[in-house]
Amino acid sequence: MTDTSMIGRLRPLGRRGLQTTALGMGAAGLGGLYRDVSEEEAQSALDAAWQAGIRTFDVAPYYGYTKAEHRVGRNLRARDRDAFVLSTKAGRLMRARAYNASRSSSRTGGDDWIAPLAFEPRFDYTYDGILRSFEDSQQRLGISRIDVILLHDIGRDTHGNQADHYWRQLLDGGFKALDELRTTRGVKAVGLGVNEVAVILDAMGEFDIDCALLAGRYTLLEQASLDVLLPECERRGVGILLGGAFNSGILAQGTKGDLKFNYGAANDEIVRRVQAFEAVCASFDVPLPAAALQFPYAHPAVSSVVTGARTAHEVAQNVASFTRPIPPAFWQALKDAGLIRVEAPTPASPAATPA
């Protein structure tokens, strides 16, 4: 039987009273990331998450070109609004595709969304753009109260030589818009939703963020954020919503899966490291996905581990992985083998005690 008390365990997200459940649900898959998802599958997945005790939900206008927000809103607006935490993102405005624009039957805009809605994204981190994004999300969700607003994909990895241009938009008004949302529009926490560490540190230097959704940068395979980011988050009281714990799939499926790592093909070094993890997992009878989901939550800066799921079955798999008992000796074996850093908090260490 699933231990829903573990799933629903609360930690603060920032310093303004907001708390998130230990396990959260990310909605990129519900928007059709990599494969199409029917409305029935999406609603069943959200129902399964709720039944398991998940009360933290993250979505974005970009997911399925507004599809995911519609789906999440349909499910959550029928529930007690005080019972869940809802986050969405700003930084891309969605505009209707031109009536006569050509489009593939399954893909749009060169992204990985399958059967998205007939909109297209435009980056906009200005004061007006962020406020417009917030109001558009309220309408798509059908929910006026949004708890968390995250700047989506700001940073050099996404924008390349345009990164300075978009950063200037934040400095000239985007951060002001976040502050306004937090002080006058009912938003309880603001921050970033990104895949890179450096831009979170940069934002901390310019603005008082409450949190960040960090995807893929603190996992069994990647722990460089232990050097500066996570200690600084602890010092400032900035909560981390940890996404991408499976590094795009390889830590969920192992080396018998499709070998996807950080949105691309895993190289030989990554495959060898995962094989080494699999060997230790086998010796302790610990499923690799269970280790992958439980490891990041051991760090006290991590408020919630946000997992993606397309179906009720995938939700059940994530819940089972997060709640499966793992012996303390397993984590020590990973450290002894040099597979995770010695200083990394684990569920067997004092630093892993829930806040």
Side-chain angles (χ1 to χ4, degrees), residues 164-212:
D164 291 341
H165 166 71
Y166 290 117
W167 189 253
R168 175 52 56 185
Q169 289 186 347
L170 286 178
L171 296 179
D172 289 346
F175 285 133
K176 178 182 176 183
L178 288 186
D179 188 56
E180 183 173 313
L181 291 174
R182 186 170 58 189
T183 57
T184 68
R185 306 288 289 274
V187 174
K188 297 177 182 177
V190 298
L192 281 67
V194 295
N195 298 310
E196 54 186 296
V197 167
V199 73
I200 300 175
L201 293 169
D202 289 343
M204 287 180 181
E206 298 288 348
F207 181 72
D208 181 24
I209 66 171
D210 302 294
C211 60

Side-chain angles (χ1 to χ4, degrees), residues 128-148:
D128 289 339
I130 288 172
L131 294 184
R132 168 68 185 272
S133 181
F134 171 74
E135 292 165 358
D136 287 352
S137 289
Q138 287 178 307
Q139 294 180 47
R140 285 188 292 263
L141 290 161
I143 298 173
S144 62
R145 194 175 103 204
I146 299 173
D147 300 297
V148 184

Side-chain angles (χ1 to χ4, degrees), residues 12-16 204 209-211 231-240 301 303:
L13 185 71
R15 307 173 305 283
R16 302 172 197 274
M204 287 180 181
I209 66 171
D210 302 294
C211 60
E232 187 65 8
C233 287
E234 282 191 87
R235 188 182 74 81
R236 291 173 176 256
V238 172
I240 293 291
S303 301

Side-chain angles (χ1 to χ4, degrees), residues 58-100:
D58 177 72
V59 68
Y62 183 54
Y63 297 163
Y65 293 1
T66 77
K67 181 185 282 187
E69 282 194 324
H70 285 289
R71 287 176 163 176
V72 169
R74 175 184 171 184
N75 193 280
L76 293 184
R77 64 175 171 260
R79 305 189 186 277
D80 177 2
R81 184 61 194 88
D82 292 329
F84 61 88
V85 170
L86 175 62
S87 71
T88 192
K89 303 181 182 74
R92 289 180 175 92
L93 289 176
M94 306 303 298
R95 58 187 178 189
R97 184 171 293 277
Y99 177 74
N100 61 349

Side-chain angles (χ1 to χ4, degrees), residues 53-330:
I54 293 171
R55 297 293 185 270
T56 301
F57 298 88
D58 177 72
V59 68
Y62 183 54
Y63 297 163
Y65 293 1
T66 77
K67 181 185 282 187
E69 282 194 324
H70 285 289
R71 287 176 163 176
V72 169
R74 175 184 171 184
N75 193 280
L76 293 184
R77 64 175 171 260
R79 305 189 186 277
D80 177 2
R81 184 61 194 88
D82 292 329
F84 61 88
V85 170
L86 175 62
S87 71
T88 192
K89 303 181 182 74
R92 289 180 175 92
L93 289 176
M94 306 303 298
R95 58 187 178 189
R97 184 171 293 277
Y99 177 74
N100 61 349
S102 62
R103 58 172 291 180
S104 163
S105 62
S106 62
R107 291 181 184 267
T108 306
D111 296 318
D112 291 311
W113 306 109
I114 308 303
L117 297 187
F119 296 87
E120 56 188 10
R122 174 172 56 86
F123 287 113
D124 190 330
Y125 300 92
T126 64
Y127 174 86
D128 289 339
I130 288 172
L131 294 184
R132 168 68 185 272
S133 181
F134 171 74
E135 292 165 358
D136 287 352
S137 289
Q138 287 178 307
Q139 294 180 47
R140 285 188 292 263
L141 290 161
I143 298 173
S144 62
R145 194 175 103 204
I146 299 173
D147 300 297
V148 184
I149 294 292
L150 303 167
L151 296 171
H152 203 186
D153 289 336
I154 189 70
R156 202 160 296 279
D157 284 358
T158 298
H159 297 297
N161 60 14
Q162 288 292 300
D164 291 341
H165 166 71
Y166 290 117
W167 189 253
R168 175 52 56 185
Q169 289 186 347
L170 286 178
L171 296 179
D172 289 346
F175 285 133
K176 178 182 176 183
L178 288 186
D179 188 56
E180 183 173 313
L181 291 174
R182 186 170 58 189
T183 57
T184 68
R185 306 288 289 274
V187 174
K188 297 177 182 177
V190 298
L192 281 67
V194 295
N195 298 310
E196 54 186 296
V197 167
V199 73
I200 300 175
L201 293 169
D202 289 343
M204 287 180 181
E206 298 288 348
F207 181 72
D208 181 24
I209 66 171
D210 302 294
C211 60
L213 196 161
L214 178 63
R217 302 286 79 80
Y218 186 61
T219 70
L220 290 176
L221 290 169
E222 299 188 49
Q223 290 131 53
S225 54
L226 284 170
D227 294 332
V228 178
L229 177 65
L230 293 180
E232 187 65 8
C233 287
E234 282 191 87
R235 188 182 74 81
R236 291 173 176 256
V238 172
I240 293 291
L241 300 166
L242 197 288
F246 295 137
N247 281 122
S248 296
I250 196 165
L251 289 175
Q253 301 175 11
T255 55
K256 291 181 171 51
D258 62 4
L259 303 182
K260 186 179 288 291
F261 173 74
N262 286 354
Y263 311 106
N267 61 34
D268 290 343
E269 178 187 358
I270 292 296
V271 172
R272 285 193 295 269
R273 289 180 61 200
V274 174
Q275 288 172 335
F277 276 108
E278 289 174 323
V280 178
C281 285
S283 68
F284 284 88
D285 191 27
V286 171
L288 179 60
L293 284 188
Q294 293 184 39
F295 170 73
Y297 191 67
H299 199 289
V302 175
S303 301
S304 183
V305 177
V306 179
T307 60
R310 299 178 181 86
T311 65
H313 177 66
E314 290 182 1
V315 171
Q317 288 180 316
N318 290 338
V319 168
S321 292
F322 194 75
T323 58
R324 183 186 176 96
I326 295 178
F330 169 78

